[in-house]
Amino acid sequence: MDYNFQEIESKWRKHWFEHKTFTAFNGSSKPKFYVLDMFPYPSGAGLHVGHPLGYIASDIFARYRRLKGFNVLHPMGYDSFGLPAEQYAIQTGQHPAHTTKENIARYRDQLDQLGFSFDWDREVRTSSPEYYKWTQLIFIKLFDSWYNQYSDQAEPIQTLIEHFERSGNLKIKAYTEYNEHFTAEEWMQKDEKEQEDILQEFRLTYLADSWVNWCPALGTVLANDEVINGKSERGGHPVVQKKMRQWSMRIKAYSERLLDGLEKLDWTDSIKDQQRNWIGKSLGSSVVFEVENSDKKIEVFTTRPDTIFGVSFMVLAPEHPFVNGESEITTEEFKEKVKDYQKNAALKSERDRQSEVKNISGQFTGAYAIHPFSGKKIPVWIGDYVLASYGTGAVMAVPCGDQRDYDFAKHFNLPIPNIFKDIDISEKAYDEKSGIIANSDFLNDLSVKEANKKTIEEIEKKNIGKGKTNYRLRDAVFSRQRYWGEPFPVYYKNGIPKMIAKEYLPIILPEVEKYLPTEDGDPPLGNAQIWAWDAKQNAIVDIEQIDNETVFPLELNTMPGWAGSSFYFARYTDPNNEEEIAGEDALNYWGNVDLYIGGSEHATGHLLYARFWTKFLKDRGVLTYDEPFQKMINQGMILGRSSMILRLTIIINCSDDPDFKETVSNYYLSKNLFYRLVKEKDRISQLILENLKIEYPQLKSFDIMCIDSRHIDISLVNNDNLNVAELKNKLAEFKSAIFILEEDGTFICDNEVEKMSKSKFNVQTPDDLVKKYGADTLRMYEMFLGPLEQSKPWDTKGISGVHNFLKKLWRLIHDENNNFSVSDEKPTKEALKSLHKTIKKLQDDLERFSFNTGVSAFMICVNELQDLKCNNREIIEPLIVLLSSYAPHFSEEIWEKLGHDAGTISYTTFPEFDEKYLVEDNHDYPVSFNGKMRMKVSLPLGLNAEEIQQKVLEMEETKKWLEGQTPKKVIVVPGKIINFVL
RNA sequence: GCGGAUGUGGUGGAAUUGGUAGACACGCUAGACUUAGGAUCUAGUGCCGCGAGGUGUGAGAGUUCGAGUCUCUCCAUCCGUACCA
């Protein structure tokens, strides 16, 4: 073999490792550049070919920036807390720390194989105590903060307490949903518990009974983004609503800043829009409706105050306080019916409610509200299309202007007053925000926009509401009933949560016997024996010692997966700092991430939470920037090609009794036979019969009942051809299976393109390909596959093309005996042109992250050099430097052979592009007549438009095409095109 | 429903500011070398046509001397999200 990639690659991997070639130093006269990948969760399946896609891209870019003279930070780590390790632990009893360690080792091996230029000295693991110490510290800081809306930032809770002590909460403008007022005296009279209850309304993390997505199968609570279509993201188990005491993050306080911050980020519109929608800002107004014969007032939020005269009924969420418990407004007559309705609604999980979008349900409460302007009586209903968790949990229904209200009104025969001038609402609601308002007292003849403004003015004048902004974003539940996560630095003194002081962090995850919840339904940490806090000794002690005097119970929940990943980017900049998350110098030097590469699936999870924490940490002086990721590229998913075999379920009859039937389901039909099953039924049936007869000689009749498909391991399949013998050998269940083959003796599988997953047996690991073609080939091939941001099915068909390119280049600079050989002669003009064209193309491609066309540029260049038989040092050397970001091992090898110090190619400089080599004496102008290209003329460069026109008009060929006509106009773009308009 | 994308040969995909559509690669066809080829090299390869030529970027219109690219309408596929008042 002439290009011995295996030898070359292991040589350079070793060299880089031993020489720490890619260590990044804090502080340098060079400009900085921070390239970051979303760190992986180290799953048991190892890396598949989709994982490295983004890493390869970021590595190419990091190496490119190094050549361009930047001090590059390019770290890697592991998001190593998570559910799979825990579930594995539940099944096998293996400690998650153990499996996590093993998985990380495997990941590291696989990553190393690919020649990444990570600075491994900066590795972080979210599950290591040295790291989660900081996660715990941030939690404490959040607890110790409130959001001051005057300064528009988070501030220490102490300042709020001082304020309460001085003047109560009357003059404060804080982010909270607490709406009672107290004076300084009243504050001082409250006991510790009462004070803490109030403070919890302000703290940025707080305990609350909240409706949570409870997953009975996993025995845990899930965040909204961990629930997909009413099922858990992991495992797909059903999720129901449950009220639990949970830690929550007051992310809502940051709604506006999270929205604003998007403006200055260089992210795709798609992700920005997803975040905008998630935050869901809407402008409108609150309006208070009095209730007849009651002192209760129903507050609603509406984005359409202009439609206030179209209100014909009101709807409360079934969970609304006014239809529950003491403050109930339901009349005696309807109490029973309302209770029934609520019971039914509560039984429905979120999923059921969703799937019943079209089903309209509701119940009249017997109560009436009073319209604030017309004074009319408005019936109050409850209905589950109104959500308790959005707005005030109550709506003023305007059936003529909102389709849902319209449907509700039609269904329950409620009036639908029309308040739009010249609009027909007999079929459906008119929900456009335009038109003229009618039948609306003081709003008549106003446009929607004017009426909106006018109504808010009137509402505010009457003091029954005010202009208001509402956000869809909800506070993030932060507790998980799991073992394998960060423990909270929290203990409970008589039910009051207390933070453990910074000096005693980290609070290390205790050992447990079982990873399942306890019998009482406590989280797994409830199984820990050594899990109580001695507040005097400041130490974790045995739970037996709990006396609630000096020894207290510790929090049993752990933190969610997104905790550790919300600040890791900052930790990389100063990973060994034991005093702070990162020192000021490191923060100031590296700043935020310049380029972040990862999947778009984290749009409303990780990417939102990381932004939230960053803004918070900036407020509290921990970080120096308020957006973590300046530019982001979202790589597409690499899909797998699954192979499936088609299974027949056949009913057979082997006796004379027609009712004596048996079912067999171990017959498999080759794909092409299956597709011919309809057309050539008899022939295929005959084939099946022949096979059946072998096993059932007594067979009288048979009938195919159904056909289904089963995933099988793609390693047993080659070009859709199943290796039947190996399958039978490997899996016992197929030992006695019958495979009905094609005429040529093969068994063809069906296939489908879908997400790679262990359960579909379609995972392609990079290992085999690295073995067969080398890491450089795989790196280039993954880039060559197509635009980085596009999802695409994995397909190895084209890999030989990329491999050939490297072989070709190798041969170009080696003689027949595989000895390195370059010419020291001056290169030809053509060769220089080819080189400089490539430099320019490559640089442009890299700057716009077009990695696939970059690979093509190399191929074109090498093809040209091969045609020119050019192996001049002056061409090869810069070309190798260009190539070093894509194919680092190959390039290092040649670089050394060219006489440079080993391992120095990464820190040489990117070749300078010189336009002079591209300048041609002549340019082939396409000449078109009326826009149609007819001929090409070669003209010297440097002529102006007029001269070009003159020259072309004089040509015989031109005259032929003009056929004696005089052109109306001649368009000449020097260096580009000549067009005659006839 | 709403939001975002994407539609180009047999296939993956190029075409950066409107200026020679299909670069590059796979595949395929033919040939050379070879004991052999899943090695290497040469030529060809959008479609129709012997050819001149015609035609061609999901469909239809428009702007322009000129449109894959800009505008409008529609269709298809994928992703995200969903009773948000």
Side-chain angles (χ1 to χ4, degrees):
Chain A
M1 195 197 307
D2 31 21
Y3 163 42
N4 190 341
F5 52 85
Q6 276 170 350
E7 197 177 290
I8 294 168
E9 289 178 0
S10 61
K11 168 181 165 188
W12 291 105
R13 267 204 299 277
K14 201 169 152 225
H15 181 98
W16 294 330
F17 181 75
E18 283 170 1
H19 293 79
K20 290 192 181 282
T21 307
F22 302 110
T23 300
F25 296 99
N26 286 7
S28 157
S29 56
K30 291 177 182 177
K32 71 98 183 181
F33 197 83
Y34 187 176
V35 198
L36 184 64
D37 295 286
M38 289 183 185
F39 61 170
Y41 172 78
S43 84
L47 283 180
H48 63 65
V49 289
H51 286 113
L53 187 73
Y55 307 154
I56 293 167
S58 70
D59 194 59
I60 288 172
F61 202 77
R63 287 172 180 270
Y64 165 65
R65 275 292 149 105
R66 273 189 207 106
L67 293 174
K68 276 284 183 181
F70 285 85
N71 186 24
V72 172
L73 177 57
H74 188 214
M76 182 47 86
Y78 305 96
D79 190 13
S80 45
F81 270 135
L83 200 50
E86 178 161 334
Q87 287 187 320
Y88 190 72
I90 292 168
Q91 286 160 23
T92 64
Q94 286 246 41
H95 197 287
H98 177 75
T99 40
T100 300
K101 207 175 145 197
E102 279 187 341
N103 292 345
I104 286 178
R106 166 113 196 265
Y107 264 61
R108 178 64 192 274
D109 271 356
Q110 288 182 302
L111 289 170
D112 280 347
Q113 263 182 33
L114 290 165
F116 293 127
S117 63
F118 295 127
D119 177 359
W120 283 108
D121 290 346
R122 292 172 184 262
E123 179 193 314
V124 300
R125 298 178 184 192
T126 55
S127 62
S128 82
E130 299 82 56
Y131 181 88
Y132 66 66
K133 167 179 170 181
W134 305 108
T135 319
Q136 291 173 339
L137 185 83
I138 293 170
F139 178 81
I140 294 171
K141 265 218 145 48
L142 282 154
F143 183 79
D144 196 30
S145 299
W146 64 291
Y147 200 88
N148 186 342
Q149 289 184 316
Y150 275 122
S151 57
D152 204 20
Q153 61 174 8
E155 291 178 7
I157 197 81
Q158 194 53 37
T159 61
L160 184 72
I161 295 170
E162 281 163 17
H163 197 104
F164 286 168
E165 287 168 354
R166 224 172 28 243
S167 44
N169 71 342
L170 296 170
K171 285 181 189 159
I172 208 110
K173 204 176 162 203
Y175 180 85
T176 181
E177 270 153 37
Y178 184 75
N179 50 20
E180 283 165 49
H181 295 294
F182 54 81
T183 61
E185 292 75 43
E186 283 167 333
W187 171 257
M188 297 307 279
Q189 276 160 20
K190 293 179 194 296
D191 65 22
E192 193 191 355
K193 175 90 172 75
E194 288 167 333
Q195 287 189 344
E196 181 54 37
D197 282 349
I198 290 171
L199 286 174
Q200 293 255 335
E201 301 276 354
F202 293 84
R203 296 184 189 277
L204 292 185
T205 184
Y206 59 98
L207 276 170
D209 285 328
S210 41
W211 286 101
V212 295
N213 305 302
W214 171 252
C215 180
L218 297 175
T220 189
V221 162
L222 300 169
N224 281 334
D225 53 278
E226 288 169 314
V227 182
I228 294 170
N229 289 332
K231 292 199 167 174
S232 64
E233 188 187 11
R234 285 195 184 275
H237 305 290
V239 173
V240 297
Q241 297 298 298
K242 189 179 173 184
K243 216 163 197 177
M244 285 183 84
R245 194 144 184 87
Q246 304 276 310
W247 284 102
S248 264
M249 290 277 160
R250 205 156 255 134
I251 187 172
K252 282 181 83 167
Y254 282 85
S255 301
E256 194 61 38
R257 280 170 67 190
L258 287 169
L259 211 50
D260 284 347
L262 290 172
E263 301 296 331
K264 58 180 185 198
L265 296 180
D266 192 2
W267 293 10
T268 62
D269 287 342
S270 156
I271 299 265
K272 285 190 188 180
D273 272 345
Q274 277 184 55
Q275 292 212 345
R276 285 194 194 104
N277 291 341
W278 196 259
I279 295 167
K281 179 179 183 173
S282 46
L283 296 171
S285 170
S286 64
V287 189
V288 172
F289 287 70
E290 294 196 8
V291 179
E292 193 189 41
N293 304 326
S294 162
D295 56 349
K296 298 283 177 304
K297 291 173 180 176
I298 300 172
E299 189 184 350
V300 300
F301 172 77
T302 176
T303 53
R304 295 292 302 275
D306 55 297
T307 61
I308 189 131
F309 288 96
V311 176
S312 61
F313 57 100
M314 302 193 76
V315 188
L316 309 182
E319 299 88 357
H320 196 281
F322 288 1
V323 282
N324 283 294
E326 303 163 17
S327 45
E328 210 164 341
I329 56 169
T330 315
T331 57
E332 276 311 320
E333 188 188 349
F334 289 94
K335 264 195 176 136
E336 196 125 325
K337 283 182 175 162
V338 166
K339 283 274 162 300
D340 281 350
Y341 183 81
Q342 286 169 331
K343 227 181 262 168
N344 273 324
L347 280 175
K348 288 186 207 168
S349 66
E350 191 104 322
R351 169 150 183 79
D352 294 334
R353 283 213 204 176
Q354 275 169 25
S355 61
E356 287 174 22
V357 170
K358 296 284 174 282
N359 284 3
I360 297 153
S361 71
Q363 173 59 47
F364 181 47
T365 62
Y368 287 89
I370 307 295
H371 193 286
F373 293 110
S374 70
K376 280 187 190 153
K377 276 171 69 175
I378 305 165
V380 179
W381 287 64
I382 60 170
D384 65 8
Y385 82 94
V386 176
L387 303 176
S389 49
Y390 181 77
T392 59
V395 300
M396 58 177 224
V398 183
C400 68
D402 182 292
Q403 193 56 45
R404 291 156 301 165
D405 296 345
Y406 187 92
D407 294 340
F408 195 87
K410 279 262 154 150
H411 190 262
F412 292 109
N413 252 328
L414 293 158
I416 306 178
N418 190 354
I419 52 150
F420 298 109
K421 199 172 192 174
D422 305 327
I423 301 281
D424 176 28
I425 54 152
S426 57
E427 289 299 320
K428 58 173 194 201
Y430 175 75
D431 53 12
E432 262 144 76
K433 293 191 175 181
S434 62
I436 304 294
I437 305 291
N439 302 326
S440 294
D441 197 352
F442 56 86
L443 298 176
N444 283 341
D445 298 319
L446 293 178
S447 72
V448 163
K449 216 174 150 190
E450 292 160 343
N452 233 310
K453 209 176 137 207
K454 177 86 179 159
T455 313
I456 294 176
E457 277 170 24
E458 291 297 321
I459 287 169
E460 289 182 352
K461 214 184 281 171
K462 284 189 91 166
N463 206 16
I464 52 164
K466 60 180 179 200
K468 200 177 166 186
T469 306
N470 227 332
Y471 298 92
R472 199 194 79 123
L473 184 70
R474 291 171 203 178
D475 281 350
V477 175
F478 199 67
S479 299
R480 295 289 183 278
Q481 290 66 50
R482 291 178 190 162
Y483 174 73
W484 193 231
E486 298 88 346
F488 283 81
V490 174
Y491 66 92
Y492 291 91
K493 185 175 173 182
N494 306 318
I496 301 170
K498 299 279 178 191
M499 297 295 130
I500 291 167
K502 182 187 169 184
E503 301 86 89
Y504 309 109
L505 300 185
I507 298 303
I508 294 175
L509 194 62
E511 295 299 322
V512 293
E513 297 257 310
K514 279 187 293 183
Y515 304 103
L516 282 168
T518 65
E519 279 164 21
D520 312 334
D522 278 338
L525 292 193
N527 294 321
Q529 187 63 30
I530 314 292
W531 196 240
W533 186 249
D534 185 331
K536 255 213 175 99
Q537 312 284 332
N538 285 306
I540 299 172
V541 296
D542 199 297
I543 51 169
E544 308 269 309
Q545 295 182 41
I546 292 175
D547 55 11
N548 289 313
E549 300 280 325
T550 56
V551 179
F552 305 99
L554 279 156
E555 169 72 52
L556 299 179
N557 286 291
T558 56
M559 298 188 197
W562 56 268
S565 58
S566 294
F567 68 99
Y568 76 113
F569 44 87
R571 187 64 186 163
Y572 280 137
T573 63
D574 198 4
N576 300 314
N577 193 323
E578 288 179 16
E579 301 305 311
E580 303 164 274
I581 288 170
E584 208 183 328
D585 289 348
L587 287 169
N588 285 333
Y589 181 71
W590 291 113
N592 63 356
V593 176
D594 294 291
L595 176 65
Y596 197 37
I597 296 189
S600 56
E601 66 272 20
H602 300 104
T604 53
H606 160 61
L607 290 170
L608 195 64
Y609 297 130
R611 293 184 60 221
F612 159 43
W613 276 28
T614 303
K615 285 180 190 300
F616 165 72
L617 292 171
K618 166 82 178 1
D619 288 353
R620 295 300 312 270
V622 178
L623 295 184
T624 52
Y625 43 84
D626 76 340
E627 282 292 345
F629 317 117
Q630 197 54 45
K631 180 175 175 63
M632 181 166 58
I633 305 258
N634 305 108
Q635 93 265 26
M637 207 184 330
I638 293 205
L639 304 164
R641 194 163 181 276
S642 317
S643 286
M644 275 106 92
I645 51 175
L646 299 160
R647 175 170 62 177
L648 302 173
T649 302
I650 308 171
I651 297 177
I652 53 168
N653 190 342
C654 296
S655 81
D656 293 326
D657 180 358
D659 293 331
F660 190 75
K661 286 178 179 171
E662 271 182 84
T663 309
V664 291
S665 55
N666 61 339
Y667 279 67
Y668 296 88
L669 192 58
S670 180
K671 181 186 160 188
N672 293 341
L673 298 175
F674 168 73
Y675 284 113
R676 280 155 52 196
L677 199 54
V678 181
K679 267 192 189 165
E680 304 169 40
K681 195 162 192 257
D682 296 343
R683 264 192 51 199
I684 309 294
S685 296
Q686 183 61 36
L687 215 62
I688 297 170
L689 185 66
E690 280 168 23
N691 277 282
L692 279 167
K693 279 258 165 138
I694 301 168
E695 205 177 342
Y696 304 97
Q698 312 292 314
L699 185 71
K700 296 280 186 287
S701 69
F702 79 98
D703 198 14
I704 297 170
M705 199 167 78
C706 70
I707 296 166
D708 61 348
S709 63
R710 301 181 63 184
H711 282 88
I712 50 154
D713 196 323
I714 49 166
S715 68
L716 300 168
V717 181
N718 188 6
N719 263 337
D720 287 345
N721 256 318
L722 176 68
N723 187 336
V724 177
E726 208 180 327
L727 175 68
K728 287 190 170 197
N729 198 10
K730 263 194 170 164
L731 289 165
E733 59 171 310
F734 289 107
K735 207 138 229 162
S736 60
I738 307 294
F739 290 85
I740 302 171
L741 308 175
E742 306 281 334
E743 279 91 342
D744 63 358
T746 58
F747 189 91
I748 310 288
C749 303
D750 202 3
N751 62 72
E752 195 176 324
V753 170
E754 53 194 348
K755 214 169 157 175
M756 274 191 203
S757 97
K758 224 176 167 178
S759 63
K760 289 174 188 141
F761 305 110
N762 63 351
V763 175
Q764 290 271 6
T765 67
D767 308 35
D768 299 342
L769 292 162
V770 168
K771 228 174 261 160
K772 196 165 169 194
Y773 297 101
D776 286 338
T777 298
L778 184 69
R779 284 168 66 108
M780 291 191 88
Y781 181 60
E782 289 219 13
M783 292 299 101
F784 186 67
L785 220 47
L788 184 61
E789 312 200 47
Q790 231 166 62
S791 287
K792 51 229 155 193
W794 178 250
D795 181 3
T796 52
K797 271 189 204 140
I799 199 165
S800 63
V802 176
H803 193 58
N804 282 345
F805 154 77
L806 287 174
K807 285 201 283 192
K808 239 187 243 181
L809 177 55
W810 182 270
R811 276 199 301 274
L812 191 65
I813 49 182
H814 288 82
D815 60 21
E816 311 82 62
N817 303 319
N818 203 25
N819 291 319
F820 184 68
S821 142
V822 289
S823 149
D824 284 320
E825 282 168 37
K826 278 269 164 226
T828 61
K829 227 168 115 188
E830 285 83 11
L832 280 163
K833 184 180 163 191
S834 180
L835 171 70
H836 281 268
K837 211 172 65 187
T838 309
I839 297 174
K840 171 129 179 58
K841 172 83 177 134
L842 210 73
Q843 181 167 317
D844 291 352
D845 286 348
L846 284 165
E847 289 295 342
R848 66 194 173 100
F849 306 99
S850 177
F851 298 101
N852 55 330
T853 53
V855 178
S856 297
F858 285 120
M859 291 178 173
I860 295 167
C861 185
V862 167
N863 283 346
E864 282 172 359
L865 294 181
Q866 196 180 33
D867 286 347
L868 295 166
K869 300 203 173 13
C870 164
N871 63 347
N872 305 69
R873 178 181 292 274
E874 266 180 59
I875 300 293
I876 298 302
E877 196 167 298
L879 184 66
I880 288 299
V881 176
L882 290 185
L883 186 64
S884 68
S885 47
Y886 280 84
H889 313 85
F890 185 101
S891 308
E892 287 275 23
E893 178 73 14
I894 305 300
W895 186 248
E896 194 187 18
K897 286 185 174 179
L898 281 164
H900 299 279
D901 288 342
T904 57
I905 197 169
S906 304
Y907 293 92
T908 180
T909 44
F910 197 81
E912 194 85 18
F913 164 64
D914 192 338
E915 199 164 0
K916 82 177 181 220
Y917 297 107
L918 297 198
V919 175
E920 298 168 58
D921 299 337
N922 286 298
H923 178 74
D924 281 342
Y925 281 93
V927 182
S928 52
F929 296 84
N930 278 343
K932 291 214 162 165
M933 217 277 285
R934 294 298 174 172
M935 61 187 214
K936 276 183 193 174
V937 298
S938 188
L939 289 173
L941 275 169
L943 299 180
N944 66 29
E946 255 171 51
E947 287 164 335
I948 294 169
Q949 185 179 338
Q950 197 60 40
K951 286 220 179 234
V952 177
L953 274 172
E954 279 165 12
M955 288 179 176
E956 279 303 314
E957 257 190 302
T958 316
K959 286 175 186 155
K960 194 186 113 199
W961 279 109
L962 284 173
E963 294 170 329
Q965 300 176 70
T966 322
K968 276 187 205 133
K969 202 160 90 179
V970 185
I971 293 148
V972 178
V973 187
K976 288 211 163 155
I977 197 160
I978 301 158
N979 187 31
F980 289 87
V981 185
L982 300 175

